[in-house]
Amino acid sequence: NAGVTQTPKFQVLKTGQSMTLQCAQDMNHNSMYWYRQDPGMGLRLIYYSASEGTTDKGEVPNGYNVSRLNKREFSLRLESAAPSQTSVYFCASRGGRGAYGYTFGSGTRLTVV
Amino acid sequence: TQLLEQSPQFLSIQEGENLTVYCNSSSVFSSLQWYRQEPGEGPVLLVTVVTGGEVKKLKRLTFQFGDARKDSSLHITAAQPGDTGLYLCAGALGSNYKLTFGKGTLLTVNP
């Protein structure tokens, strides 16, 4: 089925470890986004990529890096995980001009201990 | 300061009742969207409104965008248990379509 695929679905890290969250979409969408969702805080934008080859910071970029590998893939990297990065991470994509809606993946639940 | 304020935060009603959820801001949005999220899943788009005063209907759901494009409401008629979920409003500022989300309204419809 067409959509946004995120891997892994669950991950436990120790403080200081690194990892990369993977995201791929097969809808030929131009823009891709990474959000985190925390209780009482809602969804907050970490980084986004308006088009292949560009990335920009969102509301909460500290502690994260991203790579837009190609049009399909947009990865999020935690270089040195901290307990404050325990969250559910969502990747989303959006089509071109006039296509307002986001398509979200099913999320990665990350726990940093 | 939250850019988009949703109210109420929690809502528990009986099957068959009507309800309205509100999304308010002091900012003007180029478009506003409503999503529904179920546990363990990502948000799913319900509707996008782009014109001030616009009203859209999706079966028992009615969405309205304020005339000044600063607020929106979602009205559900004759709620069903299948309507249970987290309802999120999200607004886009300008033309880059970066969405800012409200914190959501958690709706529970009891049989």
Side-chain angles (χ1 to χ4, degrees):
Chain A
N1 291 335
V4 178
T5 303
Q6 289 184 238
T7 55
K9 290 190 73 66
F10 301 95
Q11 183 72 48
V12 178
L13 288 179
K14 294 182 179 179
T15 298
Q17 286 185 320
S18 62
M19 80 161 294
T20 299
L21 280 64
Q22 306 287 352
C23 174
Q25 53 91 9
D26 58 5
M27 297 169 286
N28 201 36
H29 283 175
N30 292 322
S31 303
M32 298 185 73
Y33 308 82
W34 276 105
Y35 284 85
R36 59 178 290 173
Q37 187 173 37
D38 302 289
M41 301 294 293
L43 282 156
R44 292 180 292 170
L45 182 64
I46 305 171
Y47 270 94
Y48 68 102
S49 171
S51 61
E52 185 179 356
T54 68
T55 61
D56 284 290
K57 296 178 180 179
E59 181 185 356
V60 289
N62 292 345
Y64 305 95
N65 285 300
V66 291
S67 296
R68 184 74 182 267
L69 304 171
N70 46 56
K71 192 171 186 179
R72 289 187 65 247
E73 298 171 287
F74 189 38
S75 63
L76 179 71
R77 183 161 178 84
L78 287 70
E79 289 292 350
S80 179
S84 61
Q85 294 178 304
T86 293
S87 186
V88 181
Y89 291 85
F90 288 99
C91 178
S93 69
R94 187 183 66 84
R97 185 183 297 275
Y100 301 100
Y102 284 20
T103 301
F104 281 86
S106 58
T108 295
R109 183 174 293 274
L110 175 67
T111 302
V112 183
V113 298
Chain B
T1 302
Q2 188 74 13
L3 191 60
L4 276 168
E5 297 286 346
Q6 283 190 245
S7 61
Q9 194 174 352
F10 301 96
L11 190 55
S12 180
I13 62 172
Q14 294 301 120
E15 183 175 0
E17 292 183 355
N18 301 331
L19 67 112
T20 302
V21 175
Y22 299 93
C23 178
N24 295 297
S25 177
S26 57
S27 298
V28 177
F29 293 101
S30 56
S31 66
L32 197 140
Q33 300 170 21
W34 285 92
Y35 291 80
R36 186 164 78 105
Q37 185 178 17
E38 298 190 22
E41 297 296 327
V44 175
L45 179 68
L46 295 174
V47 77
T48 300
V49 285
V50 297
T51 305
E54 184 175 2
V55 176
K56 281 192 173 179
K57 292 191 175 184
L58 187 66
K59 296 183 180 178
R60 295 176 292 101
L61 278 61
T62 301
F63 304 86
Q64 187 161 8
F65 201 12
D67 290 341
R69 307 209 316 275
K70 293 183 179 181
D71 54 82
S72 181
S73 64
L74 158 60
H75 181 78
I76 301 179
T77 304
Q80 299 176 358
D83 295 327
T84 292
L86 179 67
Y87 288 81
L88 297 160
C89 69
L93 293 168
S95 61
N96 62 15
Y97 302 117
K98 273 191 310 178
L99 286 182
T100 297
F101 283 82
K103 293 183 179 181
T105 293
L106 186 60
L107 171 66
T108 303
V109 182
N110 302 298

